[in-house]
């Protein structure tokens, strides 16, 4: 099933529900099944507190052995290709590489590079972010119990947003209605298949889930790339306290974080009762456990005959 | 008691003795009590071999699970606040954050940020350095058995020294007499409440413990901040072999390290019989175990009902 | 025997065979003997994916506790000497320091610095690379069963090659015939004691093992240090497909990696049937386990009386 976990494309609605169930079980304290030693490495070629730390935690809770890998101090700095790095890790005995990389679909050439090593995509360029997608689904499912007919708004810096790509695709598959808003020039054609662009005030009133995206910092920086001031963005495209007051009573606010406070979201809304932002982070650990376990099962990593299990060293 | 461990202010004389006893027990091989999984992260926003490595060792000896965190590769570089980073780690399930940060009292706003995460201060700007203080106390206690009436000299770059602040405060509470020396302009008013400034030659003869501070490198660097040459500092304010020869027979030399050899301290004194510098480092591991354990106990981290303990994964 | 493991000089032919046997046993699944806690730190002052990751894996498979150490964030950046860093790690309780450093024989002054800490050399400047040497021997032994009379060619950027130094010395001790080729100006006098320089075409036909060295990148970079274009090097000194076709039927290709594909070696030869390059990486983990275990045994690290073993925490 999940020989690798790289994209929303490979996740069926049934898969999604199985993973959500398993993640909720872990959250409720289901013990991790015993298994032989499995070795994971986390290759983060882009910075991330949340995703990286969350995977580190999930790996330890699953009983994996984590082999440290720092891209900045690796042979990649000697010009080694990503494919040769993956072959090296496989030869050394690493079973699972969790990777984030700025290149779109960086994983495509790697899937063939090593048949013995699984790739779990922790974000590729402007492509996919399947673990964020799955934890978003889990958080929505916890709240509403189902996806069919749910109205989900995805708002903000849609341009090059891997979260928006993955979430919109999967929510649509699951029967939710997806709507977009934010600066209209960021509503690129690939989103049209998933749902319409709405004026922000209209969207906010309509949705059950308001998923607000982080605005890339370079859009505010002085210099050539600056497009907005922070205050301007907040006034025109941000979720202000006034706007949030028009949300449906049971509607929730989500955000992949880190939040630019008072830019895409009023600062006090981050900790407001309708916010699920820290719950998303909390759920992320359990969902990543479920995803990693799915890969381990598909590849039979850690599957040790009972007769040998006693001599296996963790 | 120690919901967080951030400052000498919070440590009573009785607390100090309890921690010293516990650290000495660990040093003597007392086994660590069994406990459920507890997750620690070390957030070092300033470099340190000794303190960082010592905490890493203490955590492992205590059976904690350490989640790696590199500030340089974190979302702090995307402008995330320290408070949001702490909330994120708490949401992910980190129980204890050991932190060093260049801002004075950086921890104050964080104590409220997450009620479920403990902060252990590994040094804040020119503020406090409670784990260095506690290992210094342990080393003195091992040598002399008590603090009352002991003469302790703190010598050198007093300006902005968190070690001097923490040590002077706590030693005074414990009944020791504290004296200061070094470049007199560094003897800032906050030290006067703890003890007088003495000429170096007089102090060296008088004390049982000679605690020598590291001189900040920028004081020697060429350019605007240069105040001394290394040789000048050594001749005027350093502990030379000749000065050390005037110490009391049982007096000891301490230093928080790393030592600028032949600047604040003659190089051969680092390994001399009266030096306790490497013993301080050795004791530091056991003291940090005692401090971390105190925090775990105050918050009941790892306290698992016996009925569930068997299914808990380390 | 191996109180430290730093150089080919210290390895007798009998030692080499003992280590190869042990590494092959680990490869075949021999369980690691139970032992008390042993603490290792990896100090890589030069980048390396393979060697660093391989030691990390070997340490975990041996059941060692690994204390993270990042030279870039250490007190070395405050001007601390390597010797004081080693004394610090020893005082904190680290048992084994695996080190790579750009200075030739950096380890000489450290061997005396701490009698309680073992140094395992993971590569020193243009000196030695004993773990690469041992895994190369293991790979050759697996293929041919013995070394006596075997023809081994070492080809390429011989200048300052620690792999060439270590391999040539040890292979000669074991009775193999060593031949060199590549740009002749890199054939420095120290190699003459081990074997002659041959024209590349002659060497390739003659050898059972063709060990190709990585060309240092700065030799191609534009600017003052440039000596070759990549294509030029490949045509004159590289192993092309045409050259490889002249190898003996059972001869193998080795390379310490990372490979500059189509420079010292035609890209398709990296994965060719006669290549053992990924097998070298695979064997490296087991060989490093054997080397670390030899050091642990020589120093009785982890040797816990049976009566205490039950209370020891890993």
């Amino acid at each position: 099933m999940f020989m690798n976990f790289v994209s929303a494309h490979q996740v069926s609605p049934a898969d999604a529900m199985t993973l959500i169930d398993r993640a909720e079980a872990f959250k409720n304290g289901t013990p991790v099944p015993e298994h032989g030693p499995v070795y994971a490495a986390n290759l983060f070629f882009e910075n991330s507190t949340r995703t990286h730390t969350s995977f580190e935690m999930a790996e330890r809770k699953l009983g994996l052995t984590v082999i440290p890998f720092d891209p900045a101090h690796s042979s990649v700095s000697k010009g080694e290709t990503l494919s040769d790095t993956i072959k090296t890790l496989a030869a050394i005995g690493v079973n699972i590489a969790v990777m984030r990389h700025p290149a779109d679909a960086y994983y495509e050439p790697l899937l063939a590079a090593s048949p013995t090593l699984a790739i779990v995509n922790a974000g590729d360029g402007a492509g996919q972010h399947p673990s964020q997608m799955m934890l978003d689904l889990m958080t929505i499912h916890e709240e509403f119990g189902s996806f069919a007919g749910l109205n989900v708004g995805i708002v903000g810096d849609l341009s090059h947003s891997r979260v928006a790509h993955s979430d919109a695709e999967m929510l649509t598959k699951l029967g939710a209605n997806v709507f977009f808003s934010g600066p209209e020039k960021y509503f690129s054609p690939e989103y049209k298949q998933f749902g319409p662009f709405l004026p922000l005030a209209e969207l906010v009133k309509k949705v059950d889930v308001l998923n607000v995206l982080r605005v890339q910092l370079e859009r505010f920086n002085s210099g050539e790339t600056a497009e907005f001031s922070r205050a301007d963005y907040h006034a025109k495209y941000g979720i202000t306290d006034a706007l949030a007051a028009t949300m449906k009573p049971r509607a929730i606010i989500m955000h992949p974080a880190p939040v630019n406070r008072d830019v895409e979201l009023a600062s006090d809304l981050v900790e407001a009762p309708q916010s699920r932002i820290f719950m998303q982070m909390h759920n992320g650990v359990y969902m990543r456990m479920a995803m990693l376990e799915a890969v381990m099962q598909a590849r039979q990593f850690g599957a040790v005959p009972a007769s040998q299990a006693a001599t296996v060293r963790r």
Side-chain angles (χ1 to χ4, degrees), chain A residues 72-232:
Chain A
H73 293 166
S74 78
S75 292
V76 174
S77 66
K78 295 186 193 171
E80 191 180 57
T81 63
L82 214 47
S83 168
D84 277 352
T85 298
I86 287 297
K87 286 179 187 174
T88 296
L89 294 178
I92 284 168
V94 171
N95 302 116
I96 303 177
V98 175
M99 296 184 67
R100 169 169 289 189
H101 195 279
D104 284 23
Y106 69 82
Y107 50 81
E108 289 292 358
L110 304 183
L111 299 179
S114 169
T116 66
L117 182 143
I119 306 279
V120 175
N121 180 17
D124 63 297
Q128 293 277 325
H129 194 343
S131 68
Q132 180 72 40
M133 168 190 87
M134 286 307 308
L135 74 88
D136 286 349
L137 294 183
M138 177 182 176
T139 306
I140 294 170
H141 184 264
E142 265 188 347
E143 196 71 29
F144 298 101
S146 69
F147 299 95
L150 216 59
N151 290 341
V152 181
I154 301 180
V155 172
D157 195 344
L158 293 165
S159 178
H160 312 301
S161 169
R162 50 195 174 209
V163 176
H165 291 152
S166 293
D167 278 19
E169 176 176 340
M170 200 67 217
L171 285 162
T172 304
K173 275 196 231 178
L174 286 161
N177 309 307
V178 177
F179 306 94
F180 299 93
S181 194
E184 193 157 3
K185 62 181 167 181
Y186 297 159
F187 183 63
S188 37
E190 78 261 26
Y191 291 114
K192 287 185 181 153
Q193 60 186 309
F194 303 121
F197 186 91
L198 297 183
L200 184 57
E202 185 181 334
L203 180 145
V204 168
K205 282 188 198 121
K206 187 185 195 78
V207 296
D208 303 292
V209 176
L210 183 58
N211 195 1
V212 186
L213 302 176
R214 176 179 172 79
V215 187
Q216 300 303 307
L217 283 182
E218 61 269 25
R219 305 213 190 275
F220 312 119
N221 289 346
S222 57
E224 285 180 31
T225 60
E227 300 176 35
F228 310 102
S229 73
R230 285 161 185 267
D232 268 7

